[in-house]
Amino acid sequence: MWSTKRNIQGTTRKEEVHLSATVFHAFPEGDDVAFAQTLSDSLGHQLGCTPTVKHIAQHINGESTPMCIVLDNQQGGMLTNISADMFHRIKGLLLQASSLLWVLPDGSHPDASIIKGVLRSLRLEASSSRLILLETPLNAHGVRAIARVVNYMALNTNEAIRTEQEYSLIDNILHVPRFQLVEAPKATFIAEAGLSVKEEQKICHGDEPIEMTLDNAGSPDSVYFRHSDMLKNELGDEEIIVRVEAVGLNFRDLLLVLGSLPWHAPGLEGAGVVARVGSRVQDLQVGDRVFYIVHEAGMANFVRIPSLRAHRLPTSLDMADAASMPIAYSTAIVSILENGRLRSGESILIHSASGAVGQACIMIAQQVGARVFATAGSTEKREFVARTFGIPPSQIFSSRTSDFKDGLLQATENRGVDVVVNSLSGRLLQQTWDLMPENGRFIEIGKKDLLENNYLPMRQFDRNVTFSAVDLRKAAAARPEAVQEWLSRIAHSVEGRDIMAIRPVTRLPISQVKTGLRKLQSGHNIGKIVITVEPDEIVTVRAAFTIEGTLGDVVAARGHLSDHRRN
């Protein structure tokens, strides 16, 4: 819409300024030249300056012009069918002018509007530019409007100029483009256009399920929540619905948001209270506290899962601690016990040991009775691992360089380690691969080299070495009964005090999930980030609208909007 609310005030003699200006016209003769001369004379009378009048072809690149006024042509536009020479002259003018006012004649050919996009792009590229557009009839009223805008540009700072950069003379009144929200027909027009709008609401808005998604992959800033129809469909006989209280944030969630993995809704684990159960569910009932592994869309206030994917919580665990455990410990169980077949007295190297999966692997390996070697990315992280798990500092190395290889070979008398749980990539993966002894087991839990289809030297396989990759999400989808076994083992180990929750747990409310993703992205986090789902937390939700009523309502709404367009 166009608004008459603007910052330009009427010119008075007290505001007169003396400036050097040039008026450029599109054609060397005819009405363009006549209007340019009339404008120059008027500016001399109103502002105390008499601008030079030139054809645009007379502009010399590099020539200093404090104030440029460009009069576009009404018939075709200055940028229509432009020659190479004219393009370079206009380009130089736009880039070199200290202040520039481009006058677009009212009723110009549609091609003339190209300049709007050009000026908008230049403003984005050079934030300090003073590039103003005015649409006006080329008549006496237009001359006065141009004089007012030129005077305003001369008197005001860049900051003030940037607040209003496009003007239009409508009914002899200067207008600026403004969006004004008209509440009454908003929902009707949004629905008609097939669009949606984001609004703030409590995460637990009654029993309305919502889940996290994003506009465009690439940044945590694009994260928002959307409504889900999960509760509308009939519950399966062996399904449960859990009211979520805490969600574990995993590196996979960050990779999804950044666009590094094929998209699915983030959230793979959590803890909460059973809200509904299917008719054939035997082990769980409404009100049970559970932790669970979900295939996707776990960053939500409700999840719907097969009952095999959830397990009753030990009484000693609170919800946030419980949400830190399912993915990390299940990955450790599959990697170390199932694929790695680690036995008491054997040795194991665990990379990135200060993270959630690394900590879980340490505790499972110690539970088995293995000799643990580890890496971590900083001195702080290495000291944390040594202090928390009682591993000698001589068995903890940096994961940032390949020095761990020599240190570990020295510590094992050049033998290497029986099992590796690897999350490093590239050259550091290759260095780790060299540590495999006879009958060694290499477990890959990273994604980078797999997705890039990188190669592995084959010589090691002649030593009866095995290489396997673990993607817990795929393993859980293929073996749902195994999920119950993993969760049961975790719960019993917690009750027996053989393992503990990941430490430290950084708790963030769901309204700060973007902060959690950025913290994970920084690489400085130790332990686990857990997102808590409190009923009163406010999140951004994309709301959808449906059209109700008749076509007459839509027509009435359009009339209502039209009545407001200049108010």
Side-chain angles (χ1 to χ4, degrees):
M1 64 174 287
W2 289 95
S3 171
T4 58
K5 184 178 180 181
R6 62 202 182 280
N7 294 328
I8 294 182
Q9 305 298 323
T11 302
T12 67
R13 297 306 295 177
K14 292 181 181 179
E15 293 176 314
E16 286 183 357
V17 293
H18 296 275
L19 72 159
S20 173
T22 302
V23 177
F24 292 98
H25 53 83
F27 289 118
E29 57 185 17
D31 293 342
D32 283 4
V33 178
F35 183 79
Q37 192 60 56
T38 300
L39 175 63
S40 176
D41 295 341
S42 180
L43 291 176
H45 174 71
Q46 295 187 48
L47 303 182
C49 71
T50 303
T52 304
V53 176
K54 290 183 178 181
H55 179 237
I56 190 70
Q58 294 176 288
H59 172 67
I60 301 173
N61 282 340
E63 182 180 13
S64 175
T65 307
M67 174 70 72
C68 295
I69 304 164
V70 181
L71 302 177
D72 210 332
N73 181 259
Q74 189 164 9
Q75 278 69 45
M78 203 176 290
L79 300 181
T80 304
N81 298 321
I82 189 170
S83 67
D85 178 67
M86 185 65 74
F87 171 79
H88 287 295
R89 292 180 186 275
I90 293 175
K91 174 185 173 182
L93 191 64
L94 290 172
L95 295 178
Q96 296 163 12
S98 301
S99 294
L100 183 142
L101 172 63
W102 193 288
V103 179
L104 192 61
D106 192 33
S108 295
H109 189 279
D111 286 350
S113 295
I114 294 171
I115 190 61
K116 292 183 180 180
V118 172
L119 294 180
R120 290 168 184 170
S121 297
L122 287 172
R123 292 183 199 123
L124 292 174
E125 294 286 340
S127 59
S128 61
S129 62
R130 295 161 60 93
L131 303 173
I132 307 300
L133 178 73
L134 170 62
E135 295 183 72
T136 179
L138 300 186
N139 56 24
H141 295 295
V143 168
R144 286 193 289 272
I146 294 170
R148 289 180 65 190
V149 175
V150 169
N151 188 57
Y152 177 72
M153 293 172 67
L155 289 172
N156 285 277
T157 63
N158 285 350
E159 190 65 31
I161 292 293
R162 284 196 292 273
T163 60
E164 308 289 2
Q165 297 177 311
E166 295 185 7
Y167 299 88
S168 182
L169 189 68
I170 302 174
D171 296 333
N172 299 328
I173 299 173
L174 272 176
H175 288 62
V176 293
R178 293 268 178 84
F179 283 111
Q180 179 177 326
L181 187 61
V182 183
E183 291 293 340
K186 178 176 70 174
T188 302
F189 285 112
I190 288 172
E192 184 187 36
L195 302 175
S196 58
V197 64
K198 293 177 182 176
E199 57 188 22
E200 304 293 308
Q201 75 166 57
K202 290 183 178 180
I203 185 70
C204 292
H205 187 64
D207 282 338
E208 195 170 9
I210 58 176
E211 64 185 26
M212 191 181 90
T213 186
L214 73 162
D215 278 322
N216 298 294
S219 169
D221 291 331
S222 64
V223 164
Y224 68 95
F225 288 81
R226 66 181 177 190
H227 294 278
S228 165
D229 59 0
M230 176 216 311
L231 299 181
K232 295 179 180 179
N233 301 323
E234 185 178 352
L235 190 63
D237 292 343
E238 297 180 347
E239 287 184 324
I240 63 170
I241 289 176
V242 179
R243 185 183 293 272
V244 179
E245 294 193 15
V247 182
L249 195 61
N250 290 285
F251 194 67
R252 185 185 183 96
D253 298 321
L254 174 63
L255 294 179
L256 289 167
V257 170
L258 296 179
S260 301
L261 290 177
W263 171 252
H264 63 77
L268 298 174
E269 64 182 335
V273 177
V274 176
R276 301 184 193 177
V277 297
S279 59
R280 295 175 59 185
V281 174
Q282 301 294 323
D283 297 333
L284 297 172
Q285 58 186 10
V286 173
D288 282 346
R289 299 167 66 249
V290 295
F291 61 170
Y292 54 83
I293 292 175
V294 64
H295 190 63
E296 62 180 329
M299 192 64 69
N301 57 352
F302 289 94
V303 294
R304 177 176 179 154
I305 53 176
S307 62
L308 286 174
R309 283 178 170 261
H311 194 283
R312 192 178 290 108
L313 282 181
T315 56
S316 61
L317 284 180
D318 67 19
M319 290 295 186
D321 282 347
S324 75
M325 303 182 75
I327 293 295
Y329 275 101
S330 295
T331 301
I333 290 169
V334 175
S335 299
I336 295 175
L337 301 181
E338 295 184 5
N339 290 16
R341 306 179 304 282
L342 184 66
R343 295 183 294 272
S344 178
E346 289 190 316
S347 58
I348 182 172
L349 170 62
I350 299 165
H351 281 309
S352 306
S354 66
V357 174
Q359 291 186 34
C361 286
I362 289 174
M363 283 185 269
I364 293 295
Q366 289 179 332
Q367 188 181 15
V368 170
R371 185 186 184 192
V372 176
F373 295 89
T375 68
S378 67
T379 300
E380 178 191 6
K381 292 180 178 181
R382 292 189 288 275
E383 289 176 350
F384 168 82
V385 171
R387 183 177 63 254
T388 304
F389 302 106
I391 300 174
S394 61
Q395 294 176 203
I396 305 173
F397 311 99
S398 172
S399 60
R400 300 294 174 84
T401 71
S402 60
D403 291 347
F404 65 83
K405 178 182 174 182
D406 292 336
L408 198 144
L409 287 174
Q410 183 178 356
T412 60
E413 298 179 347
N414 290 321
R415 181 180 180 276
V417 287
D418 297 293
V419 176
V420 166
V421 179
N422 180 68
S423 55
L424 305 186
S425 60
R427 183 176 60 86
L428 297 181
L429 182 151
Q430 301 285 351
Q431 296 290 322
T432 305
W433 178 238
D434 291 340
L435 294 171
M436 289 284 93
E438 292 283 343
N439 302 307
R441 287 87 74 193
F442 190 104
I443 315 300
E444 174 63 30
I445 62 172
K447 280 290 183 184
K448 188 173 186 298
D449 286 281
L450 300 180
L451 294 177
E452 292 178 359
N453 196 29
N454 288 337
Y455 292 95
L456 197 68
M458 298 292 289
R459 178 67 61 86
Q460 289 288 61
F461 289 110
D462 192 44
R463 308 175 71 182
N464 206 29
V465 169
T466 62
F467 182 104
S468 60
V470 173
D471 184 321
L472 195 77
R473 181 171 179 264
K474 293 179 179 178
R479 300 165 53 206
E481 71 287 345
V483 179
Q484 183 63 208
E485 295 173 8
W486 304 333
L487 296 176
S488 178
R489 184 180 186 118
I490 296 168
H492 291 149
S493 295
V494 169
E495 290 172 339
R497 300 190 176 183
D498 296 315
I499 62 172
M500 61 182 179
I502 305 304
R503 288 290 180 264
V505 169
T506 301
R507 305 177 189 219
L508 293 174
I510 197 165
S511 58
Q512 296 181 31
V513 65
K514 295 178 185 179
T515 301
L517 288 165
R518 292 191 192 97
K519 186 175 178 66
L520 206 57
Q521 189 176 15
S522 73
H524 300 312
N525 185 63
I526 296 177
K528 187 80 169 186
I529 298 172
V530 171
I531 304 301
T532 58
V533 185
E534 301 290 342
D536 293 331
E537 280 296 315
I538 304 297
V539 296
T540 300
V541 178
R542 174 164 287 175
F545 293 89
T546 55
I547 297 178
E548 296 180 358
T550 65
L551 182 61
D553 296 325
V554 177
V555 174
R558 279 182 172 154
H560 182 67
L561 182 61
S562 177
D563 292 340
H564 283 74
R565 66 189 175 95
R566 292 186 184 173
N567 292 338

